[in-house]
C-alpha cells in the first residue's frame, strides 16, 4: 500500500496533470491501488484567500472568480474527452456557485470568520480532486472522489484544526475496506468537526492528510510529490550549490522543517513517525530521481551536518535585570504569559547567570509581546529590577541540522569561523543538549551571505567559491584571467576552489555579473556592456553584493584604490594586491592596514609587491613566525636594473643597453622610473618593515645610478640625449669592474636596523655575482642560516610571473575561507 500526495505544482497545469497520470500508470497495481491525496491547483488557495479577505473589506471578487473558473475549465477542455466533459462542468459549476454565494455573503456582511474562510478555502482541493479523478477515470478502471471531510475528524480550531487521530483512523480504515481495489482521490488539507463544519489543517495540511491516511492503513510508505528533487541541503533559490539529500531521519527532517525548509512540515511526519512509515519526497517534474527518504535512522553520510535551514524574518526580545537572578519560575511565568496570548516562541536562549533571557518571535507578534511583558512586569520595571524589554527587528534565523553533529568535534567552531570570516554578526545562539541543531540569529541582510558561506564550509566537497572583484585590466590582469581559465578545472579538482569574477574595472569602464563573468570574452563584455568607471561606485557595489568569501584584486599602480583598502577590510573582504603604494607610503598607513585586516579576520596578501612571483614575503614571514632572528638581508629587487647591468659589457654603451631594455618591455615608458631606484626602494622598504623595522621612505639611503643631468632631463628623448653624453661616467664603472674581474650590482642591504641601496662591485665569491638576465635575488642571513644564507632567486618581473604570484595568493585566500 502506498499513499501518494501531489502538491499544487504537480496539479497546477494541463502539463502537470499529464505528468501525474504517467506517474500513476507506472506504479498502479491491481492488487493494491495507491491512494492519492491532492492539493488545490497551484495558486488557487492564495486566490481564494485573496477573494475572501477582499470581500470582507468591500472589494469586488467577480474577476478573480472568473479566472478561477477559466483555470479549471481549461483542464476539462484539454484533458477530458468531449463525451465526458458535461458532468465535470456541472459539478464545477455547482462548486463555483456555492463559492460565489459564500463570497457574496462575506461581501454583504463585510465580515469574514475563520469558519467561513475554511469553507471558502476547501473549494480549492474539492475542485482539483474532481478534475484529476475524471482525468484518471479515462485510464484506470475504478476511480473515486473522496471528500476527506467525511473521514478526518478535528476539533473546532478553524484555520489550524487539531485531528482526532483515533476516530479519523477508524473511519479511514472502514472506508478503504468498503472500497477495495479502487483508486481513491482524496481532498487534502480539509476535515470536519463533530458538528460537520469544514475545517482546515493549517500549513502543509495536504501532506498531513497523506500521513494520516498512511498511518491509518499501515502503508508501506508515504510519497510526497512536489517540484524539487527531495529535501536539499539548503534553499536552492539562495544557495545555488544546494543538493538533494538521499536519507534523513525523522528528527533531522523535523528540525529542518521547523527552521524554514518548506518541502515538508513537522506535523506531517508525526503520524508516520509513530507508525515508523518511511516518507519519500519525490519530484513530479523529475520522477526518475530517487528523492529523499525520511526514516527512523539518518543513514550514512560523509558530511557532519545534513542541511542548513533558515527562517526569513524574526524579531527578538531581550529581557534582562537583576530581579531575574535566582527567581524560581520566572521563565515559566514569562512563556506561559506568551502562550496564553497565542504568541509562538521560535527560539530561546538564556545566560547561565540568569540575568537575561532572549527569545525570537514572528515579527507580527513582536510589538504585542513587548506590550504584554511591559504590562505584566510593570512593577519590576518601575523598581528597575527588570529593564524595559529590548526589541530588535529585521533579523533571521539560520540553523544547521544533523544527528552526526553530536559525534563530530569542532562543528560550532566551523560554523562561527565561516560567519566571522565573512563579517556576519551573531545576535543570539541556541543549541540543545541533543546537539541535533545549532541555531543562530543574524541580520536579515546577511542571510544570503551566511547561508552560502556556511554551506561552503560544511559541504567543502562542492568547492569553495571565491567571489573576485578586479581593479585594473592591463597586462597582469589579462595574463591572470588566461591563467584562471586554463587552470579552473585543476583548481577545482586539486584545491576545491572555484573562482568567479564578479566585477572588474579599468579607468574607463566597469562591469558586474553576480553569476560570474566569462573570462573568454571579458574584453568584449567590459567594452560593450560596461558602465562608466567610478572607483567609489565600484567599491560600493562590491560591498552591496554582500557575497561570502569575497576578495578584491588591485592590479593597478595607482594611489586611488589604496584609499579604500581599510573600507574593504571593514566590509570583511580580503585583498590581494601587486600595487606597492599602500605598503611603501607612510609607516602609519602600513601598520593601520595590517591591524584593520587582522581585526576583521581577512587576508591582506601582497607577495608580488616585492618579487613578482618569487616567494620572498612569504619566506620572510615564515622565518619570523618560526622564531628565527634576521641578521641581515641583501637583495637585488629590480629586474630592469639587473638586465641592464648584466648586459652592460664589451663595446655596448649604457645608452644602447637601456634603449634595448625599453624596446623589450623591461622598463617603464620613462626608464628613469626604474633607474632612479625608487621602485627598488619601495620593494626593500616593504621587506624591511615586514622584518620588524619601523622605517619611513626617507630613512632609506638610496644611491642614484644616474647623473643629475639625466634625472633633470625635461623629456624621455632629452633623457636619452643626456645618457649618451654621460657615457664616460658609466664606462668608468664598467672598466673598473672588468679590471677587477667583478660584476656591477645594484644591491639593497638591511643591517643593524638600517637600509642602504647602492651600486656595488661584487667578486665571484658573492652569491649575486652569477646573476643573469632580469632575475631578482635575495639572501637572508639569520641565526639559523648564518654560515650559508638562505637564497631565493628567479624572475623578478614580467606579466606571467607576476600574474602567477597573484593567482597563488588568490588560492591561499580560498584555502583560508
Amino acid at each position: 500500500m502506498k499513499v501518494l500526495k501531489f502538491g499544487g505544482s504537480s496539479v497546477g497545469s494541463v502539463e502537470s496533470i499529464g505528468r501525474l497520470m504517467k506517474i500513476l500508470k507506472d506504479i498502479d497495481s491491481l492488487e493494491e491501488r495507491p491512494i492519492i491525496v491532492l492539493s488545490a491547483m497551484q495558486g488557487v488557495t492564495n486566490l481564494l484567500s485573496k477573494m475572501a479577505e477582499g470581500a470582507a473589506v468591500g472589494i469586488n471578487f467577480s474577476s478573480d472568480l472568473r479566472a478561477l473558473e477559466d483555470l479549471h475549465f481549461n483542464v476539462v477542455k484539454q484533458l477530458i474527452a468531449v463525451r465526458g466533459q458535461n458532468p465535470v462542468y456541472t459539478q464545477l459549476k455547482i462548486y463555483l456557485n456555492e463559492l460565489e454565494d459564500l463570497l457574496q455573503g462575506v461581501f454583504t456582511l463585510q465580515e469574514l470568520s475563520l469558519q467561513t474562510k475554511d469553507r471558502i478555502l476547501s473549494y480549492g482541493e474539492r475542485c482539483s480532486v474532481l478534475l484529476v479523478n475524471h482525468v484518471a477515470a479515462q485510464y484506470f478502471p475504478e476511480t473515486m472522489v473522496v471528500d476527506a471531510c467525511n473521514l478526518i475528524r478535528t476539533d473546532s480550531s478553524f484555520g489550524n484544526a487539531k485531528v482526532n487521530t483515533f476516530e479519523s483512523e477508524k473511519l479511514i480504515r472502514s472506508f478503504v475496506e468498503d472500497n477495495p481495489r479502487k483508486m481513491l482521490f482524496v481532498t487534502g488539507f480539509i476535515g470536519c468537526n463533530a458538528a460537520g463544519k469544514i475545517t482546515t489543517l493549517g500549513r502543509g495540511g495536504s501532506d498531513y492528510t497523506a500521513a494520516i491516511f498512511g498511518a491509518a492503513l499501515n502503508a508501506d510508505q508515504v510519497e510526497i510529490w512536489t517540484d524539487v528533487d527531495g529535501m536539499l541541503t539548503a534553499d536552492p533559490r539562495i544557495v545555488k550549490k544546494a543538493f538533494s539529500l538521499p536519507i534523513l531521519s525523522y528528527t533531522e527532517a523535523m528540525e529542518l522543517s521547523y527552521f524554514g525548509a518548506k518541502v515538508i512540515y513537522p506535523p506531517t511526519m508525526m503520524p508516520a513517525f509513530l507508525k515508523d512509515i518511511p516518507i519519500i519526497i519525490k519530484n513530479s517534474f523529475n520522477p526518475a530521481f530517487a528523492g529523499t527518504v525520511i526514516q527512523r535512522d539518518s543513514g550514512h553520510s560523509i558530511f557532519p551536518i545534513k542541511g542548513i535551514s533558515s527562517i526569513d524574518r524574526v524579531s527578538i526580545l531581550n529581557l534582562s535585570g537583576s530581579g531575574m537572578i535566582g527567581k524560581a519560575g520566572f521563565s515559566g511565568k514569562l512563556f506561559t504569559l506568551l502562550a496564553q496570548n497565542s504568541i509562538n516562541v521560535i527560539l530561546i536562549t538564556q545566560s547561565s547567570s540568569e540575568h537575561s533571557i532572549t527569545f525570537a518571535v514572528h515579527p507580527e507578534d513582536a510589538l504585542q509581546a513587548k506590550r504584554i511583558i511591559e504590562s505584566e512586569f510593570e512593577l519590576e520595571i518601575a523598581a528597575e529590577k527588570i529593564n524595559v524589554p529590548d526589541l530588535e527587528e529585521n533579523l533571521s534565523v539560520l540553523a544547521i541540522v544533523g544527528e552526526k553533529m553530536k559525534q563530530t568535534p569542532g562543528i560550532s567552531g566551523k560554523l562561527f569561523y565561516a560567519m566571522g570570516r565573512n563579517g556576519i554578526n551573531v545576535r543570539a545562539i541556541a543549541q540543545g543538549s541533543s546537539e541535533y541543531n545549532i541555531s543562530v540569529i543574524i541580520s536579515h541582510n546577511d542571510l544570503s551571505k551566511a547561508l552560502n558561506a556556511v554551506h561552503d564550509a560544511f559541504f567543502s566537497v562542492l568547492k569553495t567559491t571565491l567571489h573576485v572583484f578586479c581593479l585594473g585590466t592591463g597586462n597582469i590582469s589579462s595574463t591572470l584571467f588566461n591563467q584562471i581559465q586554463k587552470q579552473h578545472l585543476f583548481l577545482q579538482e586539486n584545491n576545491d576552489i572555484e573562482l568567479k569574477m564578479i566585477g572588474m574595472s579599468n579607468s574607463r569602464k566597469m562591469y558586474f555579473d553576480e553569476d560570474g563573468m566569462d573570462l573568454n570574452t571579458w574584453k568584449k563584455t567590459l567594452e560593450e556592456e560596461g558602465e562608466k568607471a567610478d572607483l567609489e561606485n565600484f567599491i560600493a557595489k562590491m560591498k552591496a553584493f554582500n557575497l561570502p568569501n569575497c576578495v578584491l584584486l588591485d592590479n593597478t599602480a595607482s594611489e586611488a584604490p589604496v584609499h579604500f583598502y581599510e573600507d574593504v577590510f571593514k566590509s570583511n573582504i580580503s585583498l590581494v594586491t601587486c600595487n606597492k603604494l599602500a605598503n611603501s607610503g607612510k609607516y602609519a598607513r602600513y601598520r593601520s592596514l595590517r591591524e584593520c585586516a587582522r581585526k576583521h579576520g581577512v587576508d591582506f596578501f601582497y607577495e608580488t609587491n616585492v618579487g613578482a612571483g618569487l616567494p620572498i614575503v612569504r619566506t620572510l614571514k615564515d622565518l619570523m613566525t618560526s622564531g628565527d632572528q634576521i641578521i641581515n638581508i641583501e637583495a637585488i629587487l629590480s629586474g630592469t636594473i639587473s638586465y641592464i647591468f648584466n648586459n652592460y659589457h664589451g663595446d655596448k654603451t649604457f645608452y644602447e643597453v637601456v634603449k634595448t631594455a625599453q624596446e623589450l618591455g623591461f622598463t617603464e615608458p620613462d626608464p628613469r622610473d626604474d633607474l632612479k631606484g625608487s621602485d627598488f626602494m619601495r620593494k626593500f622598504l616593504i621587506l624591511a618593515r615586514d622584518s620588524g623595522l619601523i622605517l619611513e621612505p626617507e630613512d632609506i639611503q638610496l644611491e642614484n645610478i644616474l647623473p643629475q643631468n639625466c634625472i633633470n632631463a625635461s623629456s624621455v628623448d632629452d633623457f636619452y640625449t643626456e645618457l649618451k653624453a654621460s657615457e664616460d661616467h658609466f664606462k668608468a664603472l664598467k672598466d673598473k669592474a672588468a679590471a677587477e674581474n667583478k660584476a656591477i650590482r645594484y644591491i639593497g642591504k638591511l643591517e643593524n636596523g638600517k637600509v642602504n641601496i647602492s651600486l656595488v662591485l661584487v667578486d665571484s665569491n658573492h652569491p649575486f655575482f652569477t646573476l643573469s638576465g632580469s632575475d631578482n635575488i635575495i639572501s637572508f642571513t639569520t641565526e639559523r642560516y648564518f654560515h650559508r644564507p638562505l637564497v631565493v632567486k628567479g624572475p623578478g618581473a614580467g606579466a606571467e610571473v607576476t600574474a602567477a604570484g597573484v593567482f597563488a595568493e588568490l588560492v591561499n585566500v580560498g584555502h583560508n575561507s
Side-chain angles (χ1 to χ4, degrees):
M1 166 66 71
K2 286 184 180 180
V3 177
L4 282 65
K5 176 264 175 178
F6 290 90
S9 59
S10 300
V11 293
S13 66
V14 169
E15 294 77 13
S16 297
I17 295 173
R19 277 189 290 268
L20 189 156
M21 290 300 120
K22 187 176 185 309
I23 291 167
L24 294 182
K25 288 175 188 176
D26 290 342
I27 64 170
D28 179 45
S29 164
L30 289 174
E31 289 76 28
E32 200 81 69
R33 294 194 181 279
I35 291 173
I36 297 97
V37 178
L38 300 177
S39 295
M41 292 182 73
Q42 192 167 36
V44 166
T45 301
N46 288 339
L47 184 60
L48 289 167
S49 181
K50 174 192 169 192
M51 286 193 284
E53 291 169 5
V57 293
I59 297 173
N60 189 283
F61 54 83
S62 56
S63 63
D64 284 335
L65 193 61
R66 279 195 303 274
L68 191 68
E69 179 179 296
D70 291 343
L71 179 65
H72 291 85
F73 279 20
N74 183 51
V75 174
V76 178
K77 288 175 188 175
Q78 296 196 52
L79 292 181
I80 297 176
V82 174
R83 65 180 180 276
Q85 289 180 1
N86 280 339
V88 190
Y89 283 136
T90 301
Q91 186 58 56
L92 280 173
K93 265 301 191 184
I94 291 170
Y95 282 154
L96 293 168
N97 288 340
E98 290 174 359
L99 176 60
E100 185 175 16
D101 289 343
L102 281 169
L103 290 168
Q104 189 59 51
V106 173
F107 184 85
T108 302
L109 294 172
Q110 303 267 304
E111 182 182 337
L112 178 66
S113 67
L114 288 175
Q115 179 178 331
T116 302
K117 187 174 183 182
D118 274 4
R119 188 174 179 84
I120 289 169
L121 294 181
S122 73
Y123 284 96
E125 275 66 24
R126 291 153 89 183
C127 287
S128 74
V129 166
L130 174 71
L131 283 177
V132 176
N133 176 74
H134 277 82
V135 174
Q138 300 173 115
Y139 306 103
F140 304 100
E142 292 185 85
T143 67
M144 185 177 183
V145 170
V146 181
D147 190 338
C149 290
N150 300 320
L151 302 177
I152 294 182
R153 289 286 177 265
T154 73
D155 65 6
S156 297
S157 302
F158 297 101
N160 192 17
K162 304 297 181 290
V163 175
N164 181 329
T165 304
F166 178 77
E167 187 174 349
S168 298
E169 289 190 358
K170 186 169 65 171
L171 289 168
I172 291 167
R173 280 194 295 269
S174 176
F175 181 84
V176 173
E177 287 169 6
D178 291 342
N179 294 278
R181 297 190 178 179
K182 288 183 180 178
M183 186 175 285
L184 306 180
F185 289 88
V186 183
T187 55
F189 183 54
I190 58 177
C192 273
N193 65 8
K197 303 295 183 184
I198 293 176
T199 58
T200 60
L201 306 183
R203 192 174 74 157
S206 294
D207 294 353
Y208 195 12
T209 303
I212 293 166
F213 267 76
L217 301 170
N218 288 311
D220 294 322
Q221 61 192 51
V222 174
E223 294 182 3
I224 307 294
W225 288 80
T226 180
D227 57 358
V228 293
D229 288 335
M231 290 191 76
L232 279 70
T233 49
D235 186 339
R237 294 167 301 180
I238 301 173
V239 180
K240 303 301 183 188
K241 295 182 183 178
F243 61 94
S244 297
L245 295 160
I247 296 175
L248 285 172
S249 70
Y250 293 119
T251 303
E252 290 169 334
M254 280 191 266
E255 291 280 2
L256 287 169
S257 301
Y258 179 77
F259 284 95
K262 295 179 175 59
V263 176
I264 195 167
Y265 297 97
T268 299
M269 285 172 278
M270 289 311 299
F273 172 73
L274 294 171
K275 295 286 184 75
D276 204 9
I277 299 170
I279 299 172
I280 303 177
I281 312 297
K282 298 275 285 182
N283 186 353
S284 60
F285 295 84
N286 184 19
F289 191 80
T292 300
V293 179
I294 301 172
Q295 59 184 31
R296 179 70 60 182
D297 64 87
S298 64
H300 174 72
S301 175
I302 62 171
F303 301 111
I305 69 170
K306 280 293 181 69
I308 308 160
S309 197
S310 62
I311 299 175
D312 193 46
R313 296 274 184 180
V314 299
S315 298
I316 60 172
L317 283 147
N318 185 51
L319 196 59
S320 61
S322 58
M324 296 165 56
I325 300 173
K327 188 170 182 180
F330 183 87
S331 298
K333 181 179 179 181
L334 170 64
F335 294 115
T336 300
L337 177 67
L338 296 170
Q340 288 170 346
N341 287 272
S342 301
I343 295 171
N344 181 43
V345 176
I346 298 169
L347 177 150
I348 305 166
T349 180
Q350 181 174 15
S351 66
S352 58
S353 67
E354 301 183 15
H355 182 265
S356 68
I357 296 176
T358 299
F359 59 93
V361 297
H362 294 292
E364 57 269 24
D365 295 331
L367 288 174
Q368 182 191 1
K370 188 173 188 291
R371 285 194 294 267
I372 291 168
I373 293 168
E374 287 173 344
S375 174
E376 180 68 22
F377 298 101
E378 183 179 6
L379 294 178
E380 289 90 338
I381 291 172
E384 298 185 350
K385 290 186 176 181
I386 295 178
N387 300 319
V388 175
D390 181 33
L391 172 63
E392 285 189 72
E393 299 181 289
N394 296 317
L395 302 172
S396 297
V397 177
L398 180 149
I400 59 171
V401 172
E403 290 189 359
K404 282 183 66 177
M405 288 164 52
K406 190 169 186 177
Q407 296 92 32
T408 309
I411 294 291
S412 298
K414 184 177 283 192
L415 171 66
F416 295 118
Y417 177 80
M419 291 194 291
R421 168 90 176 168
N422 287 282
I424 300 160
N425 186 36
V426 175
R427 315 295 264 277
I429 305 164
Q431 180 178 12
S433 59
S434 66
E435 294 187 43
Y436 290 152
N437 176 316
I438 303 174
S439 305
V440 295
I441 295 179
I442 59 176
S443 167
H444 174 72
N445 293 334
D446 287 333
L447 180 59
S448 175
K449 178 163 72 167
L451 285 168
N452 279 280
V454 173
H455 197 274
D456 266 4
F458 283 99
F459 300 105
S460 57
V461 71
L462 299 176
K463 324 303 179 194
T464 297
T465 300
L466 209 59
H467 298 99
V468 183
F469 296 80
C470 183
L471 295 174
T473 59
N475 284 341
I476 293 172
S477 290
S478 298
T479 307
L480 173 66
F481 299 158
N482 288 334
Q483 291 176 355
I484 291 173
Q485 270 299 92
K486 289 177 182 176
Q487 298 296 321
H488 75 280
L489 287 177
F490 178 87
L491 201 59
Q492 291 184 38
E493 292 171 3
N494 294 275
N495 291 280
D496 293 329
I497 294 170
E498 178 185 10
L499 295 178
K500 281 190 176 181
M501 192 64 60
I502 307 299
M504 63 173 63
S505 178
N506 55 31
S507 58
R508 296 175 293 101
K509 294 283 187 76
M510 63 183 188
Y511 180 80
F512 299 90
D513 184 343
E514 191 169 358
D515 294 326
M517 296 176 65
D518 184 348
L519 292 182
N520 286 314
T521 59
W522 69 268
K523 283 185 181 177
K524 187 172 183 285
T525 302
L526 183 63
E527 191 60 37
E528 295 180 2
E529 300 180 40
E531 57 188 291
K532 184 180 178 182
D534 181 319
L535 181 57
E536 185 172 357
N537 192 25
F538 184 91
I539 300 296
K541 284 193 173 186
M542 176 179 69
K543 290 162 58 180
F545 274 113
N546 204 26
L547 294 169
N549 305 325
C550 205
V551 57
L552 175 67
L553 289 183
D554 179 9
N555 286 339
T556 74
S558 168
E559 177 74 27
V562 174
H563 298 295
F564 293 94
Y565 281 12
E566 286 204 23
D567 190 27
V568 168
F569 294 146
K570 289 173 182 176
S571 302
N572 291 90
I573 296 171
S574 292
L575 178 67
V576 173
T577 180
C578 57
N579 186 342
K580 306 176 190 69
L581 298 181
N583 288 319
S584 61
K586 292 291 184 183
Y587 181 82
R589 182 167 69 181
Y590 166 90
R591 175 50 53 194
S592 176
L593 290 175
R594 273 145 192 76
E595 289 298 317
C596 191
R598 184 192 57 79
K599 178 180 177 182
H600 293 277
V602 293
D603 294 319
F604 178 27
F605 290 149
Y606 51 89
E607 181 70 74
T608 51
N609 278 195
V610 177
L614 295 180
I616 294 175
V617 172
R618 193 181 333 140
T619 299
L620 175 59
K621 286 183 177 178
D622 288 346
L623 288 171
M624 297 187 67
T625 302
S626 66
D628 203 352
Q629 297 294 314
I630 305 297
I631 295 172
N632 68 57
I633 300 173
E634 280 190 288
I636 294 175
L637 297 177
S638 170
T640 302
I641 297 175
S642 283
Y643 175 85
I644 289 169
F645 284 113
N646 284 334
N647 286 274
Y648 185 43
H649 51 71
D651 296 331
K652 291 179 184 175
T653 66
F654 198 71
Y655 161 83
E656 290 170 342
V657 175
V658 174
K659 191 69 173 174
T660 301
Q662 186 183 31
E663 290 168 355
L664 292 173
F666 287 134
T667 75
E668 296 295 327
D670 186 339
R672 286 173 295 183
D673 293 340
D674 299 292
L675 290 167
K676 282 190 294 188
S678 52
D679 186 63
F680 191 135
M681 180 275 292
R682 281 193 287 265
K683 292 177 180 180
F684 212 97
L685 176 62
I686 295 167
L687 208 55
R689 286 171 169 177
D690 280 1
S691 74
L693 296 181
I694 301 173
L695 292 174
E696 297 293 350
E698 53 270 21
D699 295 330
I700 292 182
Q701 299 175 32
L702 180 67
E703 179 184 346
N704 284 328
I705 295 173
L706 297 172
Q708 201 62 39
N709 61 311
C710 294
I711 295 173
N712 294 338
S714 59
S715 67
V716 174
D717 288 340
D718 287 345
F719 158 71
Y720 276 118
T721 301
E722 295 295 335
L723 200 60
K724 277 184 181 179
S726 304
E727 179 58 27
D728 288 346
H729 170 81
F730 296 106
K731 188 174 182 301
L733 184 62
K734 180 176 67 172
D735 291 345
K736 186 174 189 300
E740 297 177 9
N741 197 25
K742 293 181 177 179
I744 308 169
R745 298 288 181 251
Y746 194 52
I747 297 176
K749 188 168 184 177
L750 182 158
E751 196 169 31
N752 299 323
K754 294 182 179 180
V755 176
N756 178 276
I757 301 171
S758 61
L759 277 173
V760 179
L761 298 182
V762 299
D763 61 27
S764 58
N765 294 318
H766 197 284
F768 294 178
F769 180 81
T770 57
L771 194 67
S772 62
S774 60
D775 281 358
N776 281 1
I777 189 168
I778 184 164
S779 167
F780 296 100
T781 302
T782 71
E783 285 188 352
R784 294 177 192 152
Y785 295 93
F786 184 76
H787 297 292
R788 291 176 64 107
L790 173 61
V791 176
V792 179
K793 175 184 174 184
E800 283 289 340
V801 292
T802 304
V806 172
F807 196 174
E809 294 198 307
L810 273 177
V811 174
N812 287 334
V813 174
H815 286 156
N816 291 340
S817 297

